[in-house]
Amino acid sequence: MRLISKLFILTFIAACTTTGSFDPNKIEVENPGPKSQVFNASFADVWKAALVTIGKYPLKSYDEDAGVIETSYIRGEDVWLPPYKDRYVTGGYRYRITIRLMKVKSNKHEAIQVVALKEPEIQKDFFTNSQKVQSDGLEELSILYRIGRVLSIDQKLKTIKTSK
């Protein structure tokens, strides 16, 4: 019994020391850039879920007929950062988000493809043009996830209302 407990302790200690260092600021998403997801719901429901999700951002325009939602430039303290990243953003960093909704063909159900595009840029000074930088894709994934959650919650609420 002592031998087993000693082996367990040694294995635990070895596992803790061999994991190495982990830098959360270096996490990257595979294939950064625009993200898309198809939702099996009506256009009106997905549009509403997208507006609810993007409602905390400053909106520049939204056109339901074209299926496009655009934010104004987001900068400073309003910049979205993942929880594991440092809370520091360079002064000239800003971005805007565009969400496009498109009807796509599906076997039996109405399906809507939502594309989220983040366009970050850095402006070094007042006189030079801004420099486009690559998005890491995390905020786009977060937006698509939240749209899916809003749709899921709405569907559950509709089910509860019809069962009463």
Side-chain angles (χ1 to χ4, degrees):
M1 188 64 170
R2 284 186 183 186
L3 180 62
I4 293 173
S5 63
K6 287 181 182 180
L7 284 174
F8 177 75
I9 291 172
L10 285 174
T11 305
F12 179 74
I13 291 172
C16 290
T17 58
T18 58
T19 57
S21 62
F22 172 72
D23 186 6
N25 288 320
K26 297 198 178 189
I27 292 177
E28 294 182 14
V29 172
E30 195 172 302
N31 300 323
K35 301 296 179 194
S36 68
Q37 186 172 349
V38 176
F39 297 102
N40 292 321
S42 69
F43 185 87
D45 288 344
V46 178
W47 178 259
K48 180 183 145 198
L51 281 177
V52 167
T53 300
I54 205 78
K56 70 174 191 143
Y57 294 93
L59 293 181
K60 177 181 177 184
S61 67
Y62 52 96
D63 183 1
E64 186 173 359
D65 294 332
V68 178
I69 303 170
E70 291 181 344
T71 67
S72 299
Y73 278 106
I74 302 160
R75 63 183 87 212
E77 288 294 316
D78 297 330
V79 169
W80 182 88
L81 290 173
Y84 61 82
K85 291 229 178 178
D86 294 335
R87 299 302 299 174
Y88 173 75
V89 178
T90 60
Y93 180 76
R94 67 181 188 171
Y95 65 89
R96 63 181 175 189
I97 296 174
T98 304
I99 296 178
R100 297 187 186 278
L101 284 73
M102 299 169 279
K103 293 181 181 180
V104 293
K105 291 186 178 182
S106 179
N107 294 340
K108 298 177 184 175
H109 303 288
E110 185 177 1
I112 307 299
Q113 180 178 17
V114 178
V115 178
L117 172 65
K118 180 178 177 180
E119 300 172 281
E121 57 188 41
I122 296 176
Q123 189 168 13
K124 297 192 186 238
D125 58 37
F126 184 74
F127 299 106
T128 60
N129 292 333
S130 57
Q131 176 187 2
K132 303 280 185 198
V133 293
Q134 182 70 37
S135 169
D136 60 4
L138 291 174
E139 188 167 14
E140 296 95 314
L141 289 174
S142 173
I143 289 170
L144 292 173
Y145 171 78
R146 287 185 278 159
I147 290 172
R149 293 301 301 159
V150 169
L151 286 170
S152 170
I153 290 168
D154 285 348
Q155 184 61 37
K156 298 288 183 192
L157 290 174
K158 285 179 184 176
T159 306
I160 291 171
K161 285 181 182 178
T162 58
S163 66
K164 286 186 176 182

